[in-house]
Amino acid sequence: EIVLTQSPATLSVSPGERATLSCRASQTITNNLAWYQQKPGQAPRLLIYAASTRASGIPARFSGSGSGTEFTLTISSLQSEDFALYYCQHYYILPWTFGQGTKVDFK
Amino acid sequence: QVQLQQWGAGLLKPSETLSLSCTVYGGSFSGYYWSWIRQSPGKGLEWIGEINHSGGTNFNPSLRGRVTISVDASKNQFSLKMSSMTAADTAVYYCARRGGIPIFDFWGQGTLVTVSS
Protein backbone atom coordinates (compact mmCIF):
# COMPACT_ATOMS: atom_id res chain seq x y z
CA GLU A 1 0.00 0.00 0.00
CA ILE A 2 1.05 3.62 -0.47
CA VAL A 3 2.33 5.26 2.71
CA LEU A 4 1.77 8.97 3.26
CA THR A 5 4.13 10.78 5.61
CA GLN A 6 3.06 14.16 6.95
CA SER A 7 5.36 16.76 8.46
CA PRO A 8 5.69 18.31 10.86
CA ALA A 9 3.67 16.38 13.43
CA THR A 10 2.83 19.67 15.16
CA LEU A 11 3.00 23.17 13.74
CA SER A 12 2.79 26.08 16.15
CA VAL A 13 1.54 29.24 14.46
CA SER A 14 0.15 32.61 15.52
CA PRO A 15 -3.18 33.88 14.14
CA GLY A 16 -2.65 35.75 10.91
CA GLU A 17 0.50 33.85 10.06
CA ARG A 18 1.00 31.47 7.16
CA ALA A 19 1.03 27.72 7.76
CA THR A 20 2.66 25.22 5.42
CA LEU A 21 1.96 21.51 5.85
CA SER A 22 3.67 18.74 3.91
CA CYS A 23 2.62 15.29 2.74
CA ARG A 24 5.00 12.87 1.05
CA ALA A 25 3.90 9.69 -0.74
CA SER A 26 5.96 6.50 -0.83
CA GLN A 27 5.47 6.32 -4.61
CA THR A 28 4.04 8.58 -7.26
CA ILE A 29 0.33 9.31 -6.92
CA THR A 30 0.24 11.95 -9.72
CA ASN A 31 -2.27 14.50 -8.35
CA ASN A 32 -4.60 12.01 -6.62
CA LEU A 33 -4.42 13.62 -3.20
CA ALA A 34 -6.96 15.16 -0.85
CA TRP A 35 -6.65 17.16 2.37
CA TYR A 36 -9.03 17.08 5.34
CA GLN A 37 -9.43 19.18 8.46
CA GLN A 38 -10.58 17.62 11.73
CA LYS A 39 -11.60 19.36 14.94
CA PRO A 40 -12.01 17.62 18.31
CA GLY A 41 -15.13 15.47 18.48
CA GLN A 42 -15.93 15.97 14.79
CA ALA A 43 -15.54 13.94 11.63
CA PRO A 44 -12.94 15.04 9.09
CA ARG A 45 -14.01 17.74 6.63
CA LEU A 46 -12.88 17.69 3.01
CA LEU A 47 -10.79 20.75 2.11
CA ILE A 48 -8.89 20.00 -1.10
CA TYR A 49 -8.92 17.29 -3.76
CA ALA A 50 -6.94 16.68 -6.94
CA ALA A 51 -4.04 18.19 -4.97
CA SER A 52 -5.16 21.77 -5.56
CA THR A 53 -8.95 22.02 -6.05
CA ARG A 54 -10.86 23.48 -3.13
CA ALA A 55 -13.98 21.62 -2.09
CA SER A 56 -17.31 23.41 -2.03
CA GLY A 57 -17.48 26.16 0.58
CA ILE A 58 -13.79 26.09 1.50
CA PRO A 59 -12.26 29.57 1.98
CA ALA A 60 -9.66 30.79 -0.49
CA ARG A 61 -7.02 31.02 2.26
CA PHE A 62 -6.67 27.23 1.90
CA SER A 63 -4.59 26.15 -1.08
CA GLY A 64 -2.94 22.94 -2.15
CA SER A 65 -0.07 22.22 -4.47
CA GLY A 66 2.22 19.44 -5.61
CA SER A 67 2.25 16.34 -7.75
CA GLY A 68 4.05 13.05 -7.91
CA THR A 69 5.21 12.39 -4.36
CA GLU A 70 5.45 15.84 -2.71
CA PHE A 71 2.40 17.87 -1.69
CA THR A 72 1.74 20.98 0.34
CA LEU A 73 -1.29 22.48 2.06
CA THR A 74 -0.96 26.19 2.73
CA ILE A 75 -3.18 28.28 4.95
CA SER A 76 -2.34 31.84 3.97
CA SER A 77 -3.48 33.67 7.10
CA LEU A 78 -4.54 31.50 9.99
CA GLN A 79 -7.89 32.23 11.57
CA SER A 80 -8.87 31.02 15.03
CA GLU A 81 -11.13 28.36 13.51
CA ASP A 82 -8.21 26.87 11.54
CA PHE A 83 -6.44 25.45 14.58
CA ALA A 84 -7.11 21.76 14.05
CA LEU A 85 -5.70 18.49 12.76
CA TYR A 86 -5.01 18.11 9.05
CA TYR A 87 -4.77 14.85 7.13
CA CYS A 88 -3.80 14.00 3.59
CA GLN A 89 -5.33 11.03 1.75
CA HIS A 90 -4.36 9.48 -1.58
CA TYR A 91 -6.70 7.86 -4.06
CA TYR A 92 -4.23 6.63 -6.67
CA ILE A 93 -4.79 2.90 -6.11
CA LEU A 94 -6.58 0.75 -3.58
CA PRO A 95 -6.38 0.74 -0.65
CA TRP A 96 -6.99 4.43 -0.01
CA THR A 97 -4.70 5.54 2.81
CA PHE A 98 -4.28 8.59 5.02
CA GLY A 99 -1.27 10.35 6.47
CA GLN A 100 -0.82 10.36 10.24
CA GLY A 101 -1.80 14.02 10.52
CA THR A 102 -0.37 17.44 11.35
CA LYS A 103 -1.71 19.34 14.34
CA VAL A 104 -1.82 23.11 13.88
CA ASP A 105 -1.90 24.78 17.29
CA PHE A 106 -1.42 28.19 18.86
CA LYS A 107 2.11 29.48 19.14
CA GLN B 1 -28.04 18.46 2.16
CA VAL B 2 -26.63 14.97 2.52
CA GLN B 3 -26.57 13.54 6.04
CA LEU B 4 -25.29 10.20 7.24
CA GLN B 5 -26.60 8.83 10.53
CA GLN B 6 -24.89 5.81 11.99
CA TRP B 7 -25.66 3.54 14.90
CA GLY B 8 -24.55 0.32 16.55
CA ALA B 9 -23.15 -1.22 19.70
CA GLY B 10 -20.22 0.65 21.21
CA LEU B 11 -18.90 -1.89 23.73
CA LEU B 12 -17.76 -5.35 22.70
CA LYS B 13 -15.89 -8.19 24.30
CA PRO B 14 -12.87 -9.74 22.58
CA SER B 15 -13.82 -12.19 19.81
CA GLU B 16 -17.27 -10.64 19.35
CA THR B 17 -18.52 -9.21 16.05
CA LEU B 18 -18.95 -5.50 15.47
CA SER B 19 -22.16 -4.47 13.77
CA LEU B 20 -22.77 -0.89 12.60
CA SER B 21 -25.27 0.61 10.19
CA CYS B 22 -25.53 3.95 8.42
CA THR B 23 -28.56 5.60 6.80
CA VAL B 24 -28.17 8.26 4.14
CA TYR B 25 -30.60 11.18 4.06
CA GLY B 26 -30.77 13.57 1.12
CA GLY B 27 -29.02 13.30 -2.21
CA SER B 28 -28.76 10.25 -4.40
CA PHE B 29 -27.85 6.85 -3.01
CA SER B 30 -26.86 5.35 -6.34
CA GLY B 31 -23.82 6.65 -8.15
CA TYR B 32 -21.63 6.64 -5.06
CA TYR B 33 -19.58 4.29 -3.00
CA TRP B 34 -20.40 4.15 0.72
CA SER B 35 -17.43 3.66 2.96
CA TRP B 36 -16.41 2.71 6.46
CA ILE B 37 -13.36 4.39 7.99
CA ARG B 38 -11.99 4.08 11.49
CA GLN B 39 -9.74 6.25 13.62
CA SER B 40 -7.63 5.08 16.50
CA PRO B 41 -4.89 6.90 18.40
CA GLY B 42 -2.31 4.34 17.34
CA LYS B 43 -3.13 3.98 13.65
CA GLY B 44 -4.80 7.25 12.72
CA LEU B 45 -7.40 7.12 9.95
CA GLU B 46 -7.80 3.74 8.29
CA TRP B 47 -10.11 3.02 5.37
CA ILE B 48 -11.93 -0.27 5.98
CA GLY B 49 -13.94 -0.80 2.83
CA GLU B 50 -16.80 0.40 0.65
CA ILE B 51 -19.90 -0.68 -1.21
CA ASN B 52 -22.02 0.77 -4.00
CA HIS B 53 -25.80 0.67 -4.37
CA SER B 54 -25.71 -2.56 -6.35
CA GLY B 55 -23.44 -4.37 -3.90
CA GLY B 56 -20.03 -3.95 -5.51
CA THR B 57 -17.37 -3.88 -2.81
CA ASN B 58 -13.74 -2.99 -2.18
CA PHE B 59 -11.88 -3.83 1.00
CA ASN B 60 -8.64 -2.94 2.73
CA PRO B 61 -6.47 -6.07 2.36
CA SER B 62 -5.27 -5.66 5.95
CA LEU B 63 -8.81 -6.39 7.16
CA ARG B 64 -10.09 -8.67 4.41
CA GLY B 65 -11.57 -11.85 5.76
CA ARG B 66 -12.91 -10.16 8.88
CA VAL B 67 -15.08 -7.51 7.21
CA THR B 68 -18.47 -7.75 5.59
CA ILE B 69 -20.20 -4.71 4.12
CA SER B 70 -23.78 -4.96 2.92
CA VAL B 71 -26.31 -2.57 1.42
CA ASP B 72 -30.07 -2.11 1.43
CA ALA B 73 -30.63 0.43 -1.31
CA SER B 74 -34.39 0.44 -0.69
CA LYS B 75 -33.65 2.02 2.71
CA ASN B 76 -30.61 4.08 1.66
CA GLN B 77 -28.69 2.10 4.22
CA PHE B 78 -25.42 0.20 4.41
CA SER B 79 -23.83 -1.84 7.18
CA LEU B 80 -20.51 -3.06 8.50
CA LYS B 81 -19.76 -6.31 10.27
CA MET B 82 -16.26 -7.02 11.58
CA SER B 83 -15.56 -10.34 13.23
CA SER B 84 -13.04 -11.47 15.86
CA MET B 85 -12.72 -8.05 17.44
CA THR B 86 -9.74 -7.38 19.70
CA ALA B 87 -8.54 -4.44 21.77
CA ALA B 88 -6.55 -3.29 18.74
CA ASP B 89 -9.86 -2.64 16.96
CA THR B 90 -10.89 -0.05 19.54
CA ALA B 91 -11.52 3.11 17.53
CA VAL B 92 -14.07 5.63 16.36
CA TYR B 93 -15.82 4.17 13.33
CA TYR B 94 -17.21 6.49 10.66
CA CYS B 95 -19.42 5.93 7.67
CA ALA B 96 -18.76 8.24 4.73
CA ARG B 97 -19.77 8.95 1.14
CA ARG B 98 -17.15 8.41 -1.51
CA GLY B 99 -17.73 10.04 -4.88
CA GLY B 100 -16.57 9.15 -8.38
CA ILE B 101 -13.28 10.63 -7.31
CA PRO B 102 -12.37 8.52 -4.25
CA ILE B 103 -12.63 11.35 -1.73
CA PHE B 104 -14.90 11.41 1.29
CA ASP B 105 -17.19 14.42 1.16
CA PHE B 106 -19.87 13.55 3.71
CA TRP B 107 -19.33 11.71 6.99
CA GLY B 108 -21.42 10.24 9.74
CA GLN B 109 -21.07 11.43 13.30
CA GLY B 110 -18.81 8.55 14.32
CA THR B 111 -19.31 5.71 16.79
CA LEU B 112 -16.78 4.98 19.52
CA VAL B 113 -16.27 1.23 19.64
CA THR B 114 -14.43 -0.13 22.65
CA VAL B 115 -13.30 -3.74 22.84
CA SER B 116 -12.68 -4.82 26.40
CA SER B 117 -13.21 -7.88 28.53
Side-chain angles (χ1 to χ4, degrees):
Chain A
E1 69 178 39
I2 294 173
V3 176
L4 298 178
T5 303
Q6 292 187 242
S7 61
T10 303
L11 184 62
S12 297
V13 187
S14 299
E17 289 186 339
R18 183 186 193 91
T20 303
L21 291 66
S22 295
C23 177
R24 173 177 292 178
S26 59
Q27 66 180 75
T28 184
I29 56 172
T30 62
N31 71 333
N32 294 313
L33 188 96
W35 289 94
Y36 299 82
Q37 176 193 68
Q38 187 179 33
K39 297 180 180 179
Q42 297 182 16
R45 172 195 181 199
L46 177 66
L47 296 176
I48 301 279
Y49 62 95
S52 60
T53 302
R54 278 189 302 277
S56 176
I58 301 303
R61 64 181 182 272
F62 290 92
S63 63
S65 63
S67 66
T69 61
E70 301 282 345
F71 301 87
T72 300
L73 174 69
T74 301
I75 311 171
S76 59
S77 177
L78 266 155
Q79 307 297 303
S80 58
E81 61 267 29
D82 300 334
F83 292 93
L85 270 164
Y86 292 84
Y87 294 94
C88 55
Q89 174 236 328
H90 88 83
Y91 49 94
Y92 185 68
I93 54 169
L94 288 165
W96 325 127
T97 61
F98 295 82
Q100 81 280 17
T102 291
K103 182 180 180 181
V104 176
D105 67 11
F106 282 98
K107 189 173 185 179
Chain B
Q1 178 72 341
V2 176
Q3 293 186 19
L4 284 73
Q5 185 169 339
Q6 60 184 99
W7 72 95
L11 181 60
L12 297 172
K13 289 182 166 50
S15 80
E16 290 186 335
T17 295
L18 170 68
S19 182
L20 297 175
S21 293
C22 184
T23 299
V24 180
Y25 298 97
S28 171
F29 191 75
S30 61
Y32 295 95
Y33 270 86
W34 303 95
S35 291
W36 290 97
I37 296 163
R38 68 181 181 179
Q39 185 172 31
S40 61
K43 294 193 74 175
L45 287 162
E46 181 178 29
W47 173 76
I48 297 170
E50 62 191 15
I51 192 166
N52 64 19
H53 73 284
S54 58
T57 53
N58 295 305
F59 295 102
N60 192 322
S62 68
L63 297 168
R64 192 187 295 273
R66 295 179 54 206
V67 173
T68 303
I69 298 177
S70 59
V71 66
D72 186 342
S74 69
K75 296 181 179 178
N76 285 6
Q77 195 172 101
F78 61 109
S79 299
L80 169 71
K81 289 190 187 299
M82 185 180 298
S83 62
S84 306
M85 294 286 282
T86 71
D89 296 311
T90 293
V92 176
Y93 287 73
Y94 292 100
C95 58
R97 187 179 85 168
R98 191 268 266 185
I101 297 174
I103 54 177
F104 307 101
D105 55 358
F106 290 97
W107 296 65
Q109 77 275 21
T111 300
L112 174 61
V113 175
T114 302
V115 183
S116 174
S117 55

